[in-house]
Amino acid sequence: MKIVKTIADFNKLRPELTAPVGFVPTMGYLHEGHLELVRQARAENPSVAVSIFVNPTQFGPKEDFKQYPRDPERDLALLEKEGADIVFMPPAEEMYPPDFNSWVEVGKLAERLEGAARPGHFRGVATVVARLFNIVRPDKAYFGQKDAQQLVVIKKMAADLDMGIEVIAVPTVREPDGLAMSSRNTYLNDEERKQAVVLYQALKLAQKLYSDGEKDAKAIREQMTALIGQQPLADIEYISIADAETLDELDTVKQSALVSMAVRFGKTRLIDNVVVG
Ligand code: AMP
């Protein structure tokens, strides 16, 4: 496994990668969710590239950029085990030199849900992913369903800008109790961690209500809100039931609607989602 920190070094090694090249962008502090993306890339491509970069431009000024967990040694050992061919882990100056001044905006899709709660977030995500795509030049790129809106935004960017990259969704990997794996779960204290399972329970409730015939989005949201409200440390930021492609909010729930939410536990903000059907 090759480890490179500069674009120049990546360019030197790029010709050695046999097509198709599968690419997994991450912010590191890897868990089973990330590794599942790597495994799928490994299974579908002769070459696998992974990036580790905590992207400063996708964090708001009051967010957790500085304290975001980092453990590059452990990450590299895990990637080696999964058989990644090349890991790109640039320092911030490599991705954002002082005169860097071009940005990718994905418009309406990036303005709602996470984009509304975190202004500028998807501008940072789309810009860094576009730049990583141009550096790595993959054929296929793997993203987790865990970040459902990110997936929609990246797919739209790749299509609108004719990037020629197939964007592939990988199902959310969960802890045994159902909590979606996330690098941010390490922020939770014991009591918050116990109560955080309610996100998954609320999503399962939404799925069950829908399967039992409830199609009224407001009624489903109310029941989810009541369930989450039973956990005293949970503070709901939003619960959305939206069209999975346009992200338009729905009054009447339909097949393949995206039920998503952001819930705070103390300082920790968790997101999760399910596609009903
Ligand atoms: P991050 O390091 O948080 O930027 O995540 C890197 C990639 O891993 C993104 O495509 C995420 O959607 C994906 N990912 C994160 N957590 C999970 C999970 N629990 N299951 C599946 N994919 C995930």
Side-chain angles (χ1 to χ4, degrees), residues 244-256:
E245 274 158 35
T246 64
L247 303 182
D248 290 334
E249 287 297 315
L250 299 171
D251 294 326
T252 306
V253 188
K254 58 180 183 187
Q255 186 76 11
S256 303

Side-chain angles (χ1 to χ4, degrees), residues 54-65:
V54 184
N55 174 35
T57 65
Q58 71 188 67
F59 290 79
K62 293 191 183 136
E63 292 183 0
D64 55 342
F65 174 66

Side-chain angles (χ1 to χ4, degrees), residues 4-59:
V4 293
K5 301 204 164 158
T6 65
I7 297 164
D9 285 346
F10 194 93
N11 284 337
K12 274 188 217 142
L13 293 174
R14 180 63 181 79
E16 293 175 17
L17 300 177
T18 310
V21 175
F23 176 44
V24 180
T26 82
M27 298 206 298
Y29 211 71
L30 303 180
H31 51 64
E32 277 296 309
H34 299 110
L35 298 181
E36 197 52 38
L37 271 60
V38 177
R39 284 178 202 132
Q40 191 164 333
R42 182 72 283 168
E44 295 177 359
N45 303 277
S47 307
V48 174
V50 179
S51 64
I52 300 175
F53 180 62
V54 184
N55 174 35
T57 65
Q58 71 188 67
F59 290 79

